[in-house]
Amino acid sequence: MPKWNMVQALQNALRVAMQRDPAVVVLGEDVGVNGGVFRVTDGLYQEFGPERVIDTPLAEAAILGTAMGMAVAGLKPVAEIQFDGFVAPAHEHLVNHIARVRWRSRGRFSAPMVIRVPSFGGIRALEHHSESIEAWYVHTPGLKVVVPSTPYDAKGLLLAAIEDPDPVLFLEPKRLYRAFREEVPEEYYTVPIGPARVVREGRHVSLFTYGSMVPVAIEAADRAREQGVEVEVIDLRTLSPLDEETITASVRKTGRAVVLNEAPRQAGLAAEIAATINDRALLYLEAPVERVTGYDTPMPYLLNEDLYLPDADRVLEAITAVHAY
């Protein structure tokens, strides 16, 4: 079995999907001849041709508007928006049309499409290239929101998203694109959209996170273990729908919870998870839920990212606080 990084796993997922189903098409800026800004679509244009791997103008609204028309007409488009901050120009199509078409048409039409977006910080990019937009779209009924953290999950979740009968926003952590390799099957498989993954079991504190923060959570959990604190690390994988059952079960076991993400703190997903814990497991809590997040500022440029993004020190501090409460 080959060992691939996340870029290679995503590329293989697209190739497998296109080989299996002629309705699958890829479109976006530079996804064809150039193979994509991060090389995820490298080689697909040469293998499947310009009618199935389509270079578009630099016009995000046009990309998603066109993709929606393709989806309603029976194709399975996989649209790429080059960077998270560039979703904003296409927001109107995404929220007012793509997410609502099944509801608006009383089930007559749907939009089986995937919007792939290289997302989050960690590569010291320019403005609008390192945003955390997940809370915008978790708040949008009609959209599923998926964030992989490993090459295996990235391939399986992307194939599941392509087969989904409704639109899926697929946020890919750029920081993890080439961070590590692991064994990934070459053949078709899916990872179901919805269930979270228990990365590591523990009995003292539950730590919920996703995407590029999963390795940070693991590092913090390793250091907590050296202090005698066993941390249960949960990779949410799907943010909408949220796996409330796994969250609740973990908190009922440990009685303590920390939520970790790199998005701004105010009204972020960490707040929603804390509220979910209050709704479903309040009487099991031994300490208030702690949040470790980014700050309520725009993502800073370049080297200042290190001051913004949560690190293992901040996570360990939160773990220690809830454990000692």
Side-chain angles (χ1 to χ4, degrees):
M1 187 179 301
K3 287 189 174 182
W4 286 335
N5 61 33
M6 187 178 288
V7 166
Q8 293 169 311
L10 290 166
Q11 184 185 105
N12 180 258
L14 291 171
R15 176 171 286 107
V16 168
M18 296 180 78
Q19 289 171 342
R20 283 171 51 94
D21 188 348
V24 178
V25 297
V26 171
L27 70 159
E29 300 163 7
D30 294 329
V31 300
V33 175
N34 287 334
V37 66
F38 291 101
R39 320 308 296 167
V40 171
T41 56
D42 192 25
L44 299 181
Y45 179 89
Q46 290 74 16
E47 183 172 349
F48 297 101
E51 293 187 353
R52 296 186 64 193
V53 184
I54 304 164
D55 278 321
T56 69
L58 303 180
E60 288 78 10
I63 294 171
L64 293 198
T66 302
M68 178 184 170
M70 290 175 165
V72 171
L75 296 176
K76 296 179 179 177
V78 182
E80 177 181 306
I81 302 296
Q82 276 193 345
F83 289 93
D84 33 40
F86 302 162
V87 176
H91 182 81
E92 200 265 341
H93 276 303
L94 189 51
V95 171
N96 286 345
H97 303 295
I98 293 169
R100 290 174 178 244
V101 64
R102 180 183 289 279
W103 177 86
R104 179 182 295 153
S105 67
R106 307 295 190 267
R108 184 179 176 192
F109 299 112
S110 65
M113 58 184 286
V114 180
I115 304 106
R116 293 184 41 250
V117 187
S119 298
F120 311 113
I123 64 167
R124 297 172 177 171
L126 302 175
E127 187 179 17
H128 302 310
H129 290 64
S130 302
E131 312 298 324
S132 296
I133 62 173
E134 64 271 32
W136 302 357
Y137 297 109
V138 166
H139 196 66
T140 302
L143 287 179
K144 296 182 177 72
V145 181
V146 173
V147 185
S149 70
T150 69
Y152 181 92
D153 279 359
K155 176 178 176 179
L157 286 166
L158 181 55
L159 286 169
I162 292 170
E163 290 302 311
D164 199 279
D166 291 299
V168 178
L169 185 64
F170 200 86
L171 304 179
E172 300 167 2
K174 301 186 292 287
R175 187 178 181 179
L176 301 182
Y177 266 161
R178 293 178 172 84
F180 63 95
R181 297 171 182 263
E182 68 176 359
E183 291 188 342
V184 179
E186 293 184 86
E187 62 269 18
Y188 180 89
Y189 69 92
T190 60
V191 173
I193 293 175
R197 177 173 67 103
V198 179
V199 178
R200 171 184 301 183
E201 294 195 357
R203 60 192 176 97
H204 295 132
V205 177
S206 300
L207 176 54
F208 303 104
T209 191
Y210 52 92
S212 53
M213 287 292 105
V214 171
V216 176
I218 293 171
E219 180 184 350
D222 286 340
R223 291 169 58 181
R225 178 183 289 168
E226 295 171 359
Q227 301 174 10
V229 181
E230 296 181 11
V231 178
E232 182 151 284
V233 179
I234 307 288
D235 176 5
L236 295 171
R237 300 198 291 195
T238 300
L239 307 186
S240 181
L242 192 62
D243 186 354
E244 296 182 353
E245 295 299 326
T246 296
I247 294 171
T248 303
S250 182
V251 172
R252 288 180 175 178
K253 180 171 72 172
T254 65
R256 296 171 171 82
V258 174
V259 188
L260 165 64
N261 67 0
E262 67 181 75
R265 184 180 183 87
Q266 182 171 324
L269 197 68
E272 175 62 25
I273 294 170
T276 298
I277 293 169
N278 282 338
D279 289 344
R280 299 177 62 117
L282 177 64
L283 297 182
Y284 292 84
L285 286 175
E286 301 288 345
V289 177
E290 285 273 348
R291 289 180 285 165
V292 182
T293 68
Y295 299 101
D296 293 327
T297 70
M299 169 67 85
Y301 297 145
L302 307 178
L303 297 178
N304 286 333
E305 269 194 353
D306 294 340
L307 303 175
Y308 178 94
L309 294 173
D311 58 18
D313 287 341
R314 288 178 59 194
V315 181
L316 183 61
E317 183 178 349
I319 291 170
T320 303
V322 298
H323 184 251
Y325 185 84

